[in-house]
Amino acid sequence: MIGNAPFFVVGLLFLWGLMAIFTQKNLIKIAMAITILGSSVNMFLVALGYRTGGRVPIHFLEGDGGPMVLPTPQAMTLTAIVIALATTALILSLIMLIYRHYGTINVDEVRRLRG
Amino acid sequence: MNWTDHLPALLLAVPLLGAFVTPLVSLGGKMLRNTLLVVTTFVTLVIAFLLWKDVLVSGTAVYVMGEKVFNLTMPSGMKLPVRIILEADAFSAFMALCGAIASFAGALFSLNYMEGFSGMKRYVSLYCLLTVGMLGMTITGDLFNFFVFIEIASIASFGLIAFWRDKAEAVEASFKYTLVSQVASMVLLLAFGALYGKYNALNIAAIGSLLKFGFMEKIVLVFIVASLACKCGAFPMHMWLPDSYAEAPSGVSCLLVAVSQASLYGLVRVCFSLYGVTMGASFIPWVVILLGLASMFFGVTMAVVQHDIKRLMGYHSVSQVGYMLLGFGVGMLVLSDAKGMADYGFAAIQGGVFHMFNYTMYKALLFLAAGSLYYTTGKRDLNDMGGLARKMPYTTFMFVIAAAAIAGLPPFNGFVSKLLIYESSFAVHPSLAAIALISSVLTLASFVKVFQTAFLGPEQNAFLSVREVPSGMLAGMGVLTVVILAVSLFPSITMSYFVEPASKALVDQAGYIGAIMGGGM
């Protein structure tokens, strides 16, 4: 049971992020929700690769006994983090531009595109 | 070793190189930068064509990154492929070719269209990156790589949609797209992670050979279908699509059409090559069919009432994606039923595949034509236009061809693919074909309206000084017109050399898996 704890946390974080995207009105909070969503997925990947009592997956640093922790999900997570960095930067700069044009970061008032 | 072996890698390397040398080359002036854009996209097109020809002659092309031998997918002692593998079968090469044509046409068009705007080196750079993302999605054989390419394409398109950042609408459209696309990508990555956790592999072929359809796989399939349907603009998640297509510069809208098709390619690839017959004729095929019907009908009903010419076309995109989803959905429905497959299932898949190509060509052309109208008149509202046929004869001619193709008038390519979809969906249930036909009639009505208000009617005083658009823009539209006419005038050649191999490759799950895993599955 305790071994599945990371996955429950991932599920909670993911739902939390998703809910925040739909319910929050502040664009900055929405950007934070997207980051939370991304982090939960990254945590999912890392948790997948973990083996109980596992060793470092680097040959000259490994300890004694036990299986190695899977390195592939870690590589994937690093890639996903870099991508998330780029998108977060873009989202924040878009919010900045929106603030300049509309003078507000309330979702309900940023609504020129309709119909 | 033959240089054509490296075509899959070159297909990605050339536009990627183009993207990153743009800032350097731009130091040499405008002329040099424009040349770079055209040369890069043209070389990409040539490579895509060679790859397609190569695949047609000698079967699925496989390229292993970082291996001494380019096609050694399974080093000895390995049970699963460990390296990053590009895999181009006839369907992937077909999609890559289709995207490369759109990219070349959009690049030619952009030369004159974007003249006089600052920041063009960023435009060219992002344009090449968007091309890389789109092509990468079509030829990768690896799920995580698919995610990386979808993100490359998304990030480039966020920037390009908001390129006119002094327009509030453009920034808002870009933000909307960012939100939708980020949520979709995260759901997608979660699904890929779950597959990795169970099967210890990321290669589509490797997972496909191991896959057992259990509870977890059902959830993963739902996640993947939902997120990719969202990225290609199917009905309930379509709201970003008209906004971003309308607010992006027209050359970019033209490429975005191809990018949304690459997402649809991913959806279809996962359903056919990863899940294949194990999926069964149950829940998912009907979900895809219903998504298709809803997109088709609601897309077109919203398009009919639009005044803004580019928003109108954006809503038509939603509706057109519906046709492809309907075709592929019918194909999935009978995937495990040999008789149904021979009777109408294969025709449905052919219709879907052909419609993907046709849609990319004529919708790209329509966006470019709308861009030409905006370029000359400075307006996007149909109520302000009129009598432009006299002033812009070439644009009018090309617009008519594209409009006839999207409405499915007989000699044109849109008719062939729509007919295939009608016939096959009729075999499943007549009401499916009825909804598709009604949507097609409404499409025709809406394009008659556009043609009548923008091009016909008396000459207006406001447009006395309007001239035909410059030659670069005409050339961009001309490329697509020539392709549409060629495909329309030689339907039997197109079907047997172009569409049928692609459809066969899509259905042939064992072939796709065998190319990576060896014959022993």
Side-chain angles (χ1 to χ4, degrees):
Chain A
M1 186 63 195
I2 193 73
N4 285 333
F7 297 108
F8 287 116
V9 176
V10 165
L12 279 179
L13 275 179
F14 195 85
L15 288 180
W16 193 16
L18 213 55
M19 225 172 63
I21 288 173
F22 289 118
T23 55
Q24 290 300 324
K25 299 287 176 204
N26 186 324
L27 288 182
I28 296 284
K29 284 187 184 163
I30 291 180
M32 284 160 71
I34 288 184
T35 321
I36 292 175
L37 209 61
S39 308
S40 77
V41 177
N42 286 338
M43 189 172 161
F44 176 62
L45 291 178
V46 173
L48 274 180
Y50 184 70
R51 297 287 177 269
T52 318
R55 292 175 288 149
V56 185
I58 303 173
H59 263 297
F60 54 87
L61 287 179
E62 58 192 320
D64 311 322
M68 269 190 185
V69 170
L70 270 183
T72 321
Q74 301 185 359
M76 283 159 64
T77 313
L78 282 177
T79 317
I81 287 174
V82 173
I83 292 171
L85 173 79
T87 19
T88 312
L90 257 168
I91 291 173
L92 290 177
S93 57
L94 283 176
I95 293 176
M96 225 169 69
L97 284 173
I98 286 179
Y99 184 72
R100 246 181 235 164
H101 285 298
Y102 293 83
T104 172
I105 47 170
N106 187 334
V107 181
D108 293 332
E109 293 169 37
V110 185
R111 290 238 155 160
R112 275 190 213 171
L113 294 166
R114 302 211 84 174
Chain B
M1 183 190 265
N2 204 335
W3 75 276
T4 52
D5 294 339
H6 297 289
L7 282 174
L10 281 176
L11 184 65
L12 303 181
V14 168
L16 198 61
L17 182 73
F20 288 103
V21 297
T22 307
L24 267 181
V25 171
S26 303
L27 295 176
K30 202 176 108 192
M31 205 53 214
L32 215 57
R33 185 194 61 215
N34 286 349
T35 320
L36 177 80
L37 177 61
V38 172
V39 168
T40 310
T41 46
F42 183 68
V43 172
T44 313
L45 174 58
V46 171
I47 293 175
F49 180 74
L50 288 178
L51 176 66
W52 172 73
K53 231 180 95 205
D54 199 43
V55 167
L56 219 55
V57 174
S58 54
T60 307
V62 175
Y63 195 87
V64 187
M65 293 289 189
E67 181 62 76
K68 280 180 196 143
V69 188
F70 77 96
N71 59 1
L72 183 63
T73 50
M74 302 273 279
S76 56
M78 295 286 177
K79 265 188 267 172
L80 294 171
V82 286
R83 294 180 198 274
I84 292 173
I85 295 175
L86 302 178
E87 179 172 11
D89 67 355
F91 183 48
S92 321
F94 171 87
M95 285 311 295
L97 181 60
C98 160
I101 295 173
S103 164
F104 178 58
L108 278 180
F109 186 85
S110 299
L111 293 186
N112 286 122
Y113 188 66
M114 302 302 290
E115 221 170 19
F117 288 103
S118 60
M120 275 306 286
K121 63 182 171 201
R122 294 177 201 99
Y123 180 90
V124 171
S125 212
L126 286 175
Y127 191 90
C128 290
L129 267 185
L130 188 52
T131 308
V132 176
M134 181 251 308
L135 293 174
M137 278 153 78
T138 58
I139 64 164
T140 181
D142 184 287
L143 287 177
F144 188 69
N145 252 31
F146 184 81
F147 167 76
V148 171
F149 282 119
I150 217 174
E151 285 295 69
I152 292 177
S154 312
I155 291 174
S157 47
F158 304 154
L160 284 173
I161 292 167
F163 185 74
W164 286 327
R165 63 183 191 281
D166 51 327
K167 279 178 28 189
E169 288 87 356
V171 178
E172 188 188 333
S174 176
F175 187 77
K176 216 182 221 178
Y177 179 47
T178 314
L179 272 187
V180 174
S181 129
Q182 267 329 93
V183 174
S185 322
M186 285 308 139
V187 174
L188 196 64
L189 184 57
L190 200 67
F192 291 166
L195 279 180
Y196 179 77
K198 182 141 184 193
Y199 296 105
N200 284 324
L202 285 166
N203 193 284
I204 299 177
I207 301 178
S209 70
L210 296 172
L211 195 91
K212 302 214 170 29
F213 198 60
F215 181 65
M216 203 262 320
E217 285 78 2
K218 265 184 208 164
I219 294 179
V220 165
L221 184 59
V222 169
F223 274 22
I224 294 177
V225 168
S227 55
L228 287 176
C230 179
K231 297 277 293 185
C232 68
F235 167 63
M237 304 80 92
H238 67 281
M239 64 290 178
W240 61 270
L241 192 141
D243 297 345
S244 47
Y245 281 17
E247 298 305 329
S250 279
V252 176
S253 311
C254 158
L255 188 52
L256 283 177
V257 169
V259 174
S260 75
Q261 290 311 293
S263 302
L264 186 60
Y265 161 86
L267 197 164
V268 175
R269 177 60 85 198
V270 165
C271 288
F272 282 92
S273 299
L274 188 63
Y275 282 82
V277 282
T278 57
M279 186 168 60
S282 53
F283 179 60
I284 285 289
W286 278 104
V287 168
V288 172
I289 290 176
L290 290 179
L291 276 181
L293 289 178
S295 322
M296 188 185 295
F297 188 70
F298 292 110
V300 82
T301 44
M302 282 189 276
V304 170
V305 299
Q306 296 297 322
H307 297 289
D308 182 327
I309 184 164
K310 282 188 82 183
R311 281 183 80 78
L312 182 141
M313 288 175 185
Y315 277 114
H316 275 298
S317 298
V318 177
S319 155
Q320 294 293 312
V321 167
Y323 282 97
M324 298 159 223
L325 288 174
L326 175 61
F328 289 124
V330 170
M332 285 177 215
L333 203 59
V334 291
L335 201 55
S336 50
D337 166 12
K339 186 173 175 298
M341 195 66 179
D343 283 351
Y344 57 90
F346 191 64
I349 292 169
Q350 272 186 320
V353 169
F354 196 23
H355 205 66
M356 275 171 108
F357 180 79
N358 294 338
Y359 160 76
T360 315
M361 293 304 124
Y362 57 62
K363 189 37 76 77
L365 180 53
L366 283 171
F367 273 120
L368 295 187
S372 306
L373 292 181
Y374 180 63
Y375 181 84
T376 49
T377 63
K379 293 186 184 358
R380 272 181 13 203
D381 195 327
L382 281 171
N383 295 337
D384 299 340
M385 294 183 200
L388 289 168
R390 293 163 228 270
K391 300 285 188 186
M392 306 163 72
Y394 296 112
T395 311
T396 312
F397 173 69
M398 294 193 260
F399 177 85
V400 169
I401 287 180
I406 193 176
L409 294 186
F412 291 101
N413 54 3
F415 170 72
V416 181
S417 50
K418 278 187 180 175
L419 188 66
L420 283 169
I421 295 175
Y422 297 151
E423 280 180 349
S424 49
S425 56
F426 188 83
V428 176
H429 198 280
S431 64
L432 305 183
I435 294 176
L437 269 170
I438 291 170
S439 311
S440 185
V441 170
L442 287 174
T443 310
L444 180 62
S446 128
F447 276 95
V448 167
K449 178 185 94 174
V450 174
F451 181 63
Q452 202 262 337
T453 44
F455 292 101
L456 300 184
E459 213 165 331
Q460 293 196 358
N461 289 333
F463 301 137
L464 284 180
S465 59
V466 165
R467 292 276 165 275
E468 183 61 88
V469 291
S471 52
M473 291 165 72
L474 284 180
M477 291 191 278
V479 170
L480 295 167
T481 313
V482 167
V483 173
I484 292 177
L485 285 180
V487 170
S488 310
L489 293 181
F490 305 105
S492 55
I493 299 179
T494 320
M495 285 308 281
S496 54
Y497 286 97
F498 205 49
V499 177
E500 213 178 297
S503 319
K504 270 190 185 138
L506 181 60
V507 180
D508 182 15
Q509 192 196 10
Y512 188 82
I513 292 171
I516 296 276
M517 305 293 289
M521 71 162 279

